[in-house]
Amino acid sequence: MKPLLGTFYLLGMLVPGWLGYDRSLTQQRQEVVGKVVSPWRILETYPYNRYHPMGEIYQWMSEIREKYTEVVTQHFLGMTYESRPMYYLKISQPSNNPKKIIWMDCGIHAREWIAPAFCQWFVKEDRLWRKSRSSHNNGTCFGTDLNRNFDASWCSIGASHNCESLTFCGTGPMSEPETKAVSSFIESKKENIACFLTMHSYGQLILVPYGYTTNKSNNHEELIQVGQKAANALKAKHGTNYRVGSSADILYATSGSSRDWARDIGIPFSYTFELRDNGTYGFVLPETQIQATCEETMEAVLSVLDDVYEKYWYTNSAIKAKSTALVLSLLMSIMSLL
Ligand SMILES: [Zn+2]
């Protein structure tokens, strides 16, 4: 993070929150949340090497916000299909200088537990710290794959119109409240967003656009180069191998992904991280692997941020802004889709 610390540094985090609850929903929620809050009470002892239910993540968010009131603010993003509010925490150094933004979301696919674990880890290291629930066909099947619901060649390939499918693309592009909320937020700030990262599992991959075509984006080589350097940094930590390439080339064809959408609206660096493992445990990655996974992913993300800073900020913005101090924002989200 060296180059970033040399600048003003902003970090934001999208989080679900508690306000605005319908009482009946709150009650349902309490049944889930009430029984799972584990014994930790203070931020300093929060076990980052464990998976936490949303109730605990909410509590962790609150403690982060309360402990760092000078740099952390909480904002409303939108509501989920089940009327749970989504909030983001914007973590920023007070500054009047122009700001740039990095987006990072974790957990848009609910079963990929290691992804939210990483977002929390990332916040800690900074010392600040599959489907949705919508109802279809008269309530006979549930859930849209939010990462097939973005407006990027929507539902053309690698997605299904059948609501019983795991990759159901929804009833139209951005038909889901969760994707609407994310996309309108990102859209409103896209001029200033240099990098979009979406964290998933599993497969040990760093994916660049596109999934809906084998055609390449106009900075494809640069994306691969930055991604490969990140994969090298990741491997240097614990020896874990990652592959780098476009989704269509090295994983499978997908349409309507947030990564492709972000690149299509002009965000230059857009990546999907598929974290550990390669299928041994799959989505149920053991807690004993959280720490190592987060440590190595940290190296990779920092490598990307370093490169974005060098390639984008320094060369583009610095020339335009000359002596204007540059500001980085990181926006991270943890989705509440359970
Ligand atoms: Zn995923």
Side-chain angles (χ1 to χ4, degrees):
M1 191 77 70
K2 285 190 297 286
L4 303 182
L5 287 175
T7 70
F8 298 91
Y9 180 57
L10 299 170
L11 180 66
M13 184 152 199
L14 285 170
V15 296
W18 287 103
L19 302 178
Y21 263 127
D22 174 344
R23 284 213 174 269
S24 60
L25 285 172
T26 305
Q27 202 164 11
Q28 287 172 18
R29 189 72 189 162
Q30 289 297 352
E31 287 168 17
V32 179
V33 170
K35 65 185 176 195
V36 293
V37 173
S38 61
W40 63 274
R41 284 288 176 270
I42 49 171
L43 212 46
E44 286 68 23
T45 58
Y46 188 75
Y48 289 92
N49 57 352
R50 295 189 65 92
Y51 296 121
H52 296 273
M54 281 311 298
E56 293 182 9
I57 297 176
Y58 289 151
Q59 189 179 339
W60 174 82
M61 293 300 173
S62 302
E63 295 205 11
I64 289 284
R65 184 193 63 212
E66 284 160 19
K67 182 162 181 184
Y68 302 101
T69 51
E70 285 176 12
V71 286
V72 180
T73 53
Q74 190 172 16
H75 307 268
F76 180 68
L77 176 70
M79 304 292 278
T80 69
Y81 180 80
E82 291 184 335
S83 300
R84 296 193 182 92
M86 295 180 287
Y87 287 87
Y88 64 94
L89 287 185
K90 180 179 173 187
I91 298 137
S92 62
Q93 299 273 7
S95 164
N96 292 322
N97 290 313
K99 297 174 175 65
K100 290 290 181 184
I101 297 168
I102 304 255
W103 166 276
M104 185 190 296
D105 66 71
C106 309
I108 196 170
H109 285 154
R111 66 183 176 181
E112 299 166 2
W113 292 9
I114 187 67
F118 173 69
C119 265
Q120 292 171 85
W121 183 281
F122 187 96
V123 168
K124 168 185 76 89
E125 286 295 296
D126 204 57
R127 298 183 192 283
L128 294 173
W129 85 80
R130 194 78 70 194
K131 290 211 292 184
S132 70
R133 294 293 299 153
S134 56
S135 168
H136 302 278
N137 279 8
N138 298 320
T140 55
C141 62
F142 293 91
T144 295
D145 184 341
L146 299 176
N147 206 30
R148 301 291 183 279
N149 189 235
F150 283 83
D151 192 7
S153 196
W154 176 78
C155 222
S156 59
I157 190 169
S160 171
H161 286 285
N162 176 2
C163 63
E164 291 180 2
S165 165
L166 274 179
T167 54
F168 176 50
C169 56
T171 53
M174 310 294 193
S175 62
E176 306 304 299
E178 297 89 348
T179 45
K180 253 182 218 144
V182 169
S183 62
S184 54
F185 181 81
I186 297 287
E187 190 78 51
S188 72
K189 300 189 181 311
K190 67 178 179 185
E191 308 302 331
N192 289 318
I193 299 180
C195 182
F196 183 97
L197 305 176
T198 179
M199 312 306 284
H200 292 250
S201 73
Y202 57 94
Q204 297 175 195
L205 303 167
I206 297 174
L207 300 172
V208 307
Y210 287 100
Y212 64 78
T213 174
T214 52
N215 293 344
K216 303 296 184 275
S217 52
N218 61 15
N219 66 334
H220 179 75
E221 292 309 318
E222 182 179 48
L223 283 166
I224 293 289
Q225 186 191 29
V226 169
Q228 192 56 56
K229 191 172 151 196
N232 295 343
L234 187 151
K235 184 173 183 176
K237 191 71 180 178
H238 294 299
T240 309
N241 286 307
Y242 268 58
R243 289 184 296 134
V244 181
S246 79
S247 188
D249 285 346
I250 69 167
L251 184 58
Y252 41 61
T254 60
S255 55
S257 74
S258 61
R259 174 205 57 237
D260 288 356
W261 170 80
R263 186 66 196 85
D264 278 345
I265 65 165
I267 295 172
F269 293 89
S270 184
Y271 293 97
T272 304
F273 274 68
E274 294 285 354
L275 304 181
R276 289 194 194 185
D277 58 11
N278 266 327
T280 308
Y281 296 100
F283 298 115
V284 201
L285 189 71
E287 288 189 332
T288 51
Q289 291 195 38
I290 293 178
Q291 180 159 345
T293 301
C294 291
E295 284 171 354
E296 67 193 10
T297 307
M298 198 72 197
E299 296 299 322
V301 169
L302 293 183
S303 170
V304 171
L305 296 186
D306 281 356
D307 280 348
V308 169
Y309 176 80
E310 297 263 341
K311 288 170 179 290
Y312 182 80
W313 247 277
Y314 191 73
T315 53
N316 296 344
S317 302
I319 291 166
K320 287 183 205 151
K322 290 281 181 190
S323 61
T324 308
L326 299 173
V327 183
L328 169 67
S329 281
L330 268 170
L331 293 159
M332 296 169 59
S333 81
I334 291 181
M335 300 290 173
S336 166
L337 302 173
L338 300 177

